[in-house]
Amino acid sequence: MPKKTQIDLLASDEWGGVRDMAQILAAFISLNEPAVAGILKKAARLLEKSGHDGSMNGYQSDDPLRTYMLAAAIWSATTGLGLAYAESPASFERGQKIRGPARIVSERLATCLDTTLLLAAAFEAAGLKPTLLFSRGHAWVGVWIQKTDFGNVTEPDVVAVRKAVQTHEFIPLETILLTRRPTVSLEQAYDKGKRRISKDYEADFIMAVDIARSRAARIRPIATHTVSETDHGTPEDQVAPAILPPMSDFGLLPGKIFEKMPNTPRGRVERWQNKLLDLSLRNRLLNFRDSLQTLPFICPDIAAMEDALADGKKFGGLSLPDENPISNRTLSPDERQCLEEYFAHDAFERRQLAVPLTKPDMNNRFLTLFRRANSDMQEGGTNTLFLATGFLRLKREIDPRIYTAPLLLIPVKIERKSARSEFRISHHNDDVRINSTLLEFLKRDFEIEVPELVGELPRDDSGVNVRLVFKIMRQRVREVPGFEVTEDPALSTFSFAKYLMWKNLVDRTDLLRENRLVRHLIDGPADIFDESTDTPAVMPKDLDRHLTPRELLTPLPANSSQLSAVVAVSEGRDFVLIGPPGTGKSQTIANMIAQCLGHGRTVLFVAEKAAALDVVYRRLVAIGLGDAVLELHSNKTDRKSVIAQLGRSWERASDMTEQHWNDVTGKLGISRNRLNAYVEALHTRGSQGFSVFDAIGQVASGMAPFQISFPHKDAHDEITYEYLSSITEDLGKTYAQVDNGPALNLIKQAEWSYQWEASILKRPPHSDARSRILHGWSKHSRANSVSVPTPRFVTNGAFRSSRSPREPNPALSILHPSRTCQRMNSALWLRLS
């Protein structure tokens, strides 16, 4: 039996929900509707009344304060619509019908999602970048006051949103306040929008949908297919818009922050170190909180769990509320805790970890972490999923709040056999690591050093000795008030990229200075960078004259500009290779690596995205250089894979000899010389002043309306050819002017001759034939104001002037092909005077 699949068809105004169609929501933002244009017109008038420029110019001013005032004017104009609140459907994040701007303005009714999309449409139509924010049962909007974004279409991390707000780059606005009376100012909406992403509400946060990124992903607005007139409502519907805030009301904007650049080498290095290492409490490695991006566990024996993971065991999750071991019994807190611990111990024996969440919430968090870890692996090439084992609870004297920071981070991966199978956690082939950011934080702020945990961690028979690690940390913080070590595990994603860069910069500053580019950035970034070599670079057109085929080890196809980049690399030059997508950059990089390998050099190829590394690696494998490459990213970063790659490289052998290479490149050189000779002959200019290539181009552009033949190709030199071209140009201009004139029907002569011309000119001025000819052409000339140059006669490749240069200009010059001389093979130039 064929498999049956249920397909739900949605209406054009129906959205499938944030779980399945979060990215598609950008299609419902209709920024080109008349209702949105009406909001922008009102916003422009509000700006002008306040003494500001009324242009809806987005980020063109490059002034965050101007962008803030523009967003404030759009908010105030929208409050003047007099909207009323409409209740959202239950669990609206699973989908609902959406009102468009025209319907909202007409009905004056809107849900929180309707107001969010309406305001986002107005922001986008004004050239700003809106972002839709979602929490459980609610939606609101944010707008960037600087031209930036979150970097992804969806951002599930509320901390990333909160950081953007704290740096005054992003303004979240509570759009439901658009339906309040009296009208609410932008400052109140901003304050309410910030509270929605605060730590008290972060557990309810679902995600942010970046509209600018959605547009870049080719998600366009849905066409309405209707022509609607904007209804401005009855007078009682309209209300006075909110007053614009003063210019200085938003606080310190990014544009007002000016960083003083250090002017000493040590100051520059310290500035780099401070930018790389985040020791503030915004860092999740120092301030870990429960959210939709984390999954807490209850484990009776942390050390046994780490040993089991190190031995290859896998663990699933078991919902404690769904199992409900307490049931309806009335127990004391101690009894309740003992019963939960017994339940967690029993689950651990069955390779399950108890989770203090319902099964749907547990699976949703598993799915979120599963997708996030896979995305980070694909984009960055490193594993970011860790089981945080043990936490240090700390309290600062100036802050009454308690912060928790993970101690040990066990690299793990989430697996499942199918979409409906349960998730299971297994050990990732990487080393267990200590939270080095926490150690640096303790050293800097509390002068607490833990040298026993720096470097190699203490080990036991099955991985890291977790009990000893906890014991060492407890001894170090025992005398510090407010510090405590707990053993609760939690699953989440963490990134150490910046910390590793900081560590490398701190430990190897002197070694890094040996690189001339790093030395230039440290010692004199304002000076001109010295070239690595004094000899000029080989230009693409000169490659064949300077290099033999034997010197180019480029197995992939390349043009001259790409080969010049390969040669520059082999010469040790510093340069930037720029090209749009699809121009062969990865192919050129593969050729560069092959060239360097052929000359006995090593290459370190790094990229921000793992996809760029994979493309180049696949090209190298295809040309037989896979064994010469050591992968240090993705799932190839563990020790076992690295050793296996080194073994393959060691055993790699080739049966080709140097003589074989010389034979192949020798034949290639002969073929290259023949092709170069052909190209040179093709572009060599002949005696007439143009090349064969030029002649082919002229013919390929289109067939001429008539043919001109010459005895041979050297019938004209360059001067006469230019003269012939000039005559042809004059012919075209003159013919365009007199083309619509009357035909010379009275001329019966088929062949022109001097005798025939003399007989016409000798006739009396008022003779019948001559009068009719002159009368017809004079009438046409006056009607069209034609000024015709002196005509010439051209036939069979010969040309000459019909009148000597010394003769006076005629009173009337006419050029027209005879329509009665059917036997003539060329155009007829006739001059009458």
Side-chain angles (χ1 to χ4, degrees), residues 553-610:
L553 307 173
T554 52
L556 295 173
N559 56 30
S560 58
S561 62
Q562 295 169 340
L563 285 177
S564 64
V566 174
V567 174
V569 168
S570 63
E571 294 178 348
R573 298 183 182 275
D574 301 293
F575 63 94
V576 178
L577 184 66
I578 301 176
T583 54
K585 294 187 298 297
S586 60
Q587 186 165 305
T588 304
I589 293 173
N591 277 331
M592 290 178 180
I593 296 175
Q595 179 80 4
C596 292
L597 292 178
H599 287 82
R601 300 171 63 183
T602 57
V603 180
L604 175 63
F605 177 42
V606 296
E608 182 180 2
K609 302 293 185 181

Side-chain angles (χ1 to χ4, degrees), residues 136-163:
R136 292 180 182 176
H138 191 63
W140 69 111
V141 73
V143 61
W144 293 93
I145 65 170
Q146 281 195 318
K147 196 173 182 180
T148 183
D149 50 50
F150 285 118
N152 300 297
V153 176
T154 59
E155 178 53 67
D157 189 2
V158 67
V159 177
V161 181
R162 200 155 55 223
K163 287 180 180 180

Side-chain angles (χ1 to χ4, degrees), residues 284-288 390-394 403-408 435 438 441:
R284 296 180 66 247
L285 288 168
L286 300 177
N287 183 16
F288 183 87
F391 290 87
L392 176 64
R393 301 177 78 248
L394 54 94
Y403 299 92
T404 58
L407 287 178
L408 279 178
N435 186 356
L438 174 62
F441 175 75

Side-chain angles (χ1 to χ4, degrees), residues 371-560:
R371 291 174 174 174
R372 183 65 179 268
N374 287 341
S375 176
D376 292 343
M377 176 65 74
Q378 292 174 2
E379 294 186 2
T382 57
N383 177 58
T384 59
L385 186 65
F386 292 88
L387 185 62
T389 307
F391 290 87
L392 176 64
R393 301 177 78 248
L394 54 94
K395 182 179 179 181
R396 310 178 74 178
E397 296 180 357
I398 59 176
D399 192 347
R401 291 174 294 182
I402 296 177
Y403 299 92
T404 58
L407 287 178
L408 279 178
L409 296 166
I410 303 175
V412 295
K413 54 185 176 181
I414 300 177
E415 301 173 339
R416 60 174 178 176
K417 296 181 179 179
S418 65
R420 295 192 175 184
S421 302
E422 68 173 1
F423 293 96
R424 301 190 69 83
I425 301 173
S426 61
H427 193 276
H428 186 272
N429 292 327
D430 204 348
D431 294 333
V432 179
R433 62 177 68 201
I434 193 72
N435 186 356
S436 301
T437 304
L438 174 62
L439 298 183
E440 292 295 333
F441 175 75
L442 295 176
K443 180 180 179 180
R444 189 197 68 174
D445 287 16
F446 299 95
E447 298 181 355
I448 299 176
E449 296 188 21
V450 192
E452 298 90 344
L453 301 182
V454 177
E456 187 74 19
L457 294 176
R459 306 185 66 84
D460 54 18
D461 295 336
S462 299
V464 175
N465 192 336
V466 177
R467 292 187 178 89
L468 181 57
V469 171
F470 289 166
K471 180 180 179 180
I472 293 172
M473 182 58 69
R474 286 191 175 103
Q475 291 176 347
R476 293 295 176 179
V477 301
R478 181 177 181 180
E479 305 298 330
V480 183
F483 279 45
E484 178 187 8
V485 175
T486 63
E487 299 184 7
D488 302 322
L491 186 66
S492 187
T493 56
F494 301 92
S495 177
F496 301 91
K498 289 187 177 181
Y499 172 79
L500 296 176
M501 295 171 64
W502 172 85
K503 186 68 174 176
N504 196 25
L505 187 60
V506 171
D507 298 342
R508 298 180 174 87
T509 303
D510 295 336
L511 183 62
L512 292 173
R513 288 176 64 94
E514 296 181 5
N515 182 278
R516 58 177 176 272
L517 178 58
V518 177
R519 184 169 60 252
H520 167 77
L521 295 176
I522 294 176
D523 296 338
D527 302 332
I528 299 177
F529 181 62
D530 294 334
E531 290 289 341
S532 55
T533 178
D534 297 332
T535 59
V538 179
M539 302 302 294
K541 63 180 181 179
D542 301 327
L543 285 173
D544 291 348
R545 289 195 296 269
H546 288 77
L547 298 171
T548 62
R550 188 177 184 276
E551 298 176 88
L552 292 175
L553 307 173
T554 52
L556 295 173
N559 56 30
S560 58

